[in-house]
Amino acid sequence: MTTQMTQTTTTAGTSAAASASPSSAIAAAEAARTRLDFARSARPAFRALIGFDAAAREGLDPALVELIQIRASLLNHCAYCLHMHTNDARKAGESEDRLHLVAVWREARHFFTAKEQAALALTEAVTLVSDGGVPDAVYAEAAAHFDDAELAQVLALICAINTWNRVALATGKVAGTDAR
């Protein structure tokens, strides 16, 4: 059984290691969360986002969907969404090798198809759009691998996961607490 080590400070100022199971650490983190529950507080917006997300996925390869969501979540440092989508990818049969290499896909291109590479590059450009927009070369490469309808779906999915990441980060969602 894997345990997570946490540091606690006594009143005397000394550190003592306390051991807790991952599930109890997740429960403690969730209990300490003080930010609003977006799903309850903004129900119409939450439902609209769920609908947008579902529409964005429509017709796309489920493996590609998860790769896009994982890459955006990595770039946005969203542990909640990263945990959810790596688990979803595993359940859908994605290999551990590919999951571990999404963060460094350019150095491990042989693990990803040309179409997946184009989608990952587009995901990076759209997610990091403030760093210089979406370069023409990145867009052209994606357009070479997806027809207009697919490319629109990919763009919608990238927008959806970026929105989910921002909601999760802004509301302090705790990795491991998704109800999926």
Side-chain angles (χ1 to χ4, degrees), residues 60-69 115-116 119 146 154 157:
L60 292 177
D61 174 16
L64 181 66
V65 168
E66 295 306 331
L67 291 175
I68 289 168
Q69 293 179 127
K115 189 173 190 173
E116 290 169 337
F146 297 95
V154 168
L157 181 65

Side-chain angles (χ1 to χ4, degrees), residues 63-64 66-67 70 89-96 98-99 116:
L64 181 66
E66 295 306 331
L67 291 175
I70 289 166
R90 279 185 194 94
K91 289 175 190 169
E94 187 59 79
S95 76
E96 288 298 315
R98 283 169 40 102
L99 290 176
E116 290 169 337

Side-chain angles (χ1 to χ4, degrees), residues 68-88:
I68 289 168
Q69 293 179 127
I70 289 166
R71 187 63 187 133
S73 297
L74 282 163
L75 293 168
N76 287 321
H77 305 278
C78 184
Y80 178 83
C81 293
L82 184 59
H83 181 270
M84 179 190 309
H85 294 297
T86 54
N87 282 338
D88 288 350

Side-chain angles (χ1 to χ4, degrees), residues 43-166:
R43 192 167 302 278
F46 182 74
R47 287 184 181 157
L49 187 50
I50 288 172
F52 179 62
D53 184 86
R57 295 165 180 258
E58 195 171 306
L60 292 177
D61 174 16
L64 181 66
V65 168
E66 295 306 331
L67 291 175
I68 289 168
Q69 293 179 127
I70 289 166
R71 187 63 187 133
S73 297
L74 282 163
L75 293 168
N76 287 321
H77 305 278
C78 184
Y80 178 83
C81 293
L82 184 59
H83 181 270
M84 179 190 309
H85 294 297
T86 54
N87 282 338
D88 288 350
R90 279 185 194 94
K91 289 175 190 169
E94 187 59 79
S95 76
E96 288 298 315
D97 283 340
R98 283 169 40 102
L99 290 176
H100 292 296
L101 295 171
V102 171
V104 293
W105 67 270
R106 291 179 197 282
E107 290 78 35
R109 291 180 181 270
H110 57 285
F111 281 88
F112 303 96
T113 67
K115 189 173 190 173
E116 290 169 337
Q117 291 175 45
L120 290 169
L122 186 62
T123 300
E124 290 175 359
V126 174
T127 300
L128 304 173
V129 71
S130 67
D131 290 347
V134 177
D136 289 341
V138 170
Y139 186 88
E141 186 65 21
H145 291 282
F146 297 95
D147 64 32
D148 285 352
E150 288 176 309
L151 185 56
Q153 293 299 119
V154 168
L155 284 169
L157 181 65
I158 295 167
C159 291
I161 188 57
N162 273 280
T163 301
W164 284 122
N165 288 164
R166 283 151 176 76

